[in-house]
DNA sequence: TACGGAAAAA
DNA sequence: TTTTTCCGTA
């Protein structure tokens, strides 16, 4: 693939790349960790999207939504990356569907080849109010700045002076740069962007803190509340508190 | 086109 | 564990 992004942090100041997010810690399965041999598919997708690899895949209308413009080509690229010459969209999409339960992805129904990253429980790095009081809880991994992934991609990583990793007092977990959520107006009302304002209907208006932020504007509790699924929650460091691996079976 | 079970692979 | 592979079903 011809991803020729500049490895510099230029995109941070670019009008297009404006925000970086952190996936929960569990989402980062480095190539060197057991259970994850190589790049994961969603890494790869984000990488392509971040590169503006416009041919096979591109961002869709809504924030986090992406459209696979050329399914077979995307599959080919993925196959190349994974050394699976027989990869095709049917298989790739099966892998994508496995993300549904993990809530990494969601299908945009009615829109062909359109999926959406579930960014609802991501932590924004460059939100103005950032600088969690307990950032050390979040920083037990090497900083990583995307769109590019770790070393094995052979691609340069961003980072450096002025980069995201410079924003906080210490290193940050892996970050992904995301495209500006707009032009589509987003229903973001809470004090913390991208956290659905009405995430908890049943607790909607209790006290201000119920927004999920502590006095410092940082998340102070599990982001499970952002999620529809009650069986999995996430603590601050992003660890999965699971009580059931096979959630959603009867969730809806 | 999309979904998800099942089983194998890595 | 995360895909990959295959496939029946909608």
């Amino acid at each position: 693939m011809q991803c020729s992004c500049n490895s510099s942090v230029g995109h941070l100041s670019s009008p297009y790349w404006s925000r970086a997010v952190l996936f929960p810690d569990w989402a980062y399965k480095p190539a060197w960790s057991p259970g994850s041999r190589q790049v994961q598919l969603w890494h790869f997708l984000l990488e392509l999207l971040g590169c503006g690899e416009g041919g096979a895949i591109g961002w869709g209308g809504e924030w986090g939504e992406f459209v696979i413009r050329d399914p077979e080509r995307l599959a080919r690229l993925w196959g190349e990356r994974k050394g699976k010459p027989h990869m095709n969209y049917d298989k790739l999409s099966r892998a994508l569907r496995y993300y549904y339960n993990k809530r990494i992805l969601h299908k945009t129904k009615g829109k062909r080849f359109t999926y959406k990253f579930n960014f609802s429980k991501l932590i924004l790095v460059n939100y103005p109010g950032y600088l969690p009081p307990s950032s050390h809880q979040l920083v037990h991994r090497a900083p990583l700045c995307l769109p590019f992934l770790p070393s094995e991609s052979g691609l340069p990583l961003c980072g450096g002076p002025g980069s995201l990793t410079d924003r906080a007092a210490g290193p940050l977990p892996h970050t992904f740069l995301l495209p500006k959520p707009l032009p589509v107006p987003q229903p973001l009302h809470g004090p913390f962007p991208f956290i659905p304002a009405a995430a908890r209907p049943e607790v909607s208006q209790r006290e201000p803190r119920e927004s999920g932020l502590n006095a410092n504007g940082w998340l102070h509790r599990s982001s499970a509340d952002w999620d529809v699924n009650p069986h999995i929650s996430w603590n601050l460091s992003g660890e999965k508190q699971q009580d059931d691996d096979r959630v959603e079976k009867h969730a809806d």
Side-chain angles (χ1 to χ4, degrees):
Chain A
M1 70 213 86
Q2 311 324 316
C3 254
S4 52
C5 299
N6 293 327
S7 59
S8 72
V9 207
H11 32 284
L12 272 185
S13 52
S14 99
Y16 199 78
W17 297 97
S18 63
R19 289 189 163 86
V21 296
L22 299 179
F23 279 81
D25 206 46
W26 58 267
Y28 302 97
K29 286 291 186 86
W32 52 88
S33 78
S36 184
R37 304 165 295 292
Q38 300 177 57
V39 228
Q40 284 178 266
L41 180 52
W42 66 272
H43 284 164
F44 177 75
L45 296 177
L46 242 25
E47 178 183 312
L48 254 41
L49 287 163
C51 284
E53 206 280 344
I57 189 174
W59 290 111
E62 290 178 41
W63 194 57
E65 191 176 84
F66 64 93
V67 180
I68 299 172
R69 302 208 185 92
D70 188 338
E72 289 309 321
R73 172 147 172 245
L74 178 66
R76 196 173 60 249
L77 292 173
W78 175 233
E80 283 170 14
R81 173 64 72 88
K82 291 292 292 293
K84 293 289 175 182
H86 304 300
M87 180 54 57
N88 58 31
Y89 181 67
D90 177 61
K91 296 174 195 169
L92 184 151
S93 63
R94 183 68 188 92
L96 251 29
R97 288 193 293 275
Y98 272 122
Y99 285 155
Y100 297 170
N101 281 340
K102 296 184 172 182
R103 278 150 291 107
I104 287 176
L105 276 191
H106 187 277
K107 183 75 180 70
T108 300
K109 282 164 186 168
K111 291 189 189 175
R112 228 163 139 239
F113 304 131
T114 303
Y115 300 78
K116 190 173 176 180
F117 276 102
N118 182 0
F119 289 150
S120 64
K121 52 174 137 3
L122 303 187
I123 302 166
L124 285 177
V125 176
N126 64 342
Y127 179 68
Y130 180 67
L131 273 188
S134 52
S135 55
H136 53 278
Q137 288 187 58
L138 294 167
V139 290
H140 43 276
R141 282 192 188 289
L144 228 199
C145 188
L146 275 140
F148 288 127
L149 273 201
S151 25
E152 88 267 4
S153 69
L155 296 167
L157 303 176
C158 35
S163 76
L164 282 170
T165 55
D166 235 18
R167 291 186 65 97
L172 291 170
H174 321 292
T175 62
F176 284 88
L177 295 178
L178 295 176
K180 270 192 170 173
L182 308 175
V184 181
Q186 299 294 302
L188 305 170
H189 305 304
F192 201 75
F194 314 121
I195 297 177
R200 302 184 68 184
E202 74 277 25
V203 239
S204 48
Q205 306 292 1
R206 243 179 233 173
E207 44 181 299
R209 295 295 194 71
E210 279 298 339
S211 65
L213 303 176
N214 61 16
N216 294 297
W218 190 245
L219 299 168
H220 66 75
R221 62 130 193 280
S222 158
S223 52
D225 305 314
W226 312 346
D227 206 285
V228 215
N229 194 305
H231 298 284
I232 293 185
S233 58
W234 324 87
N235 63 20
L236 191 62
S237 60
E239 291 178 76
K240 187 175 177 181
Q241 328 256 288
Q242 63 182 69
D243 52 39
D244 185 359
D245 263 327
R246 314 182 60 77
V247 293
E248 305 215 330
K249 266 291 185 194
H250 42 62
D252 15 72

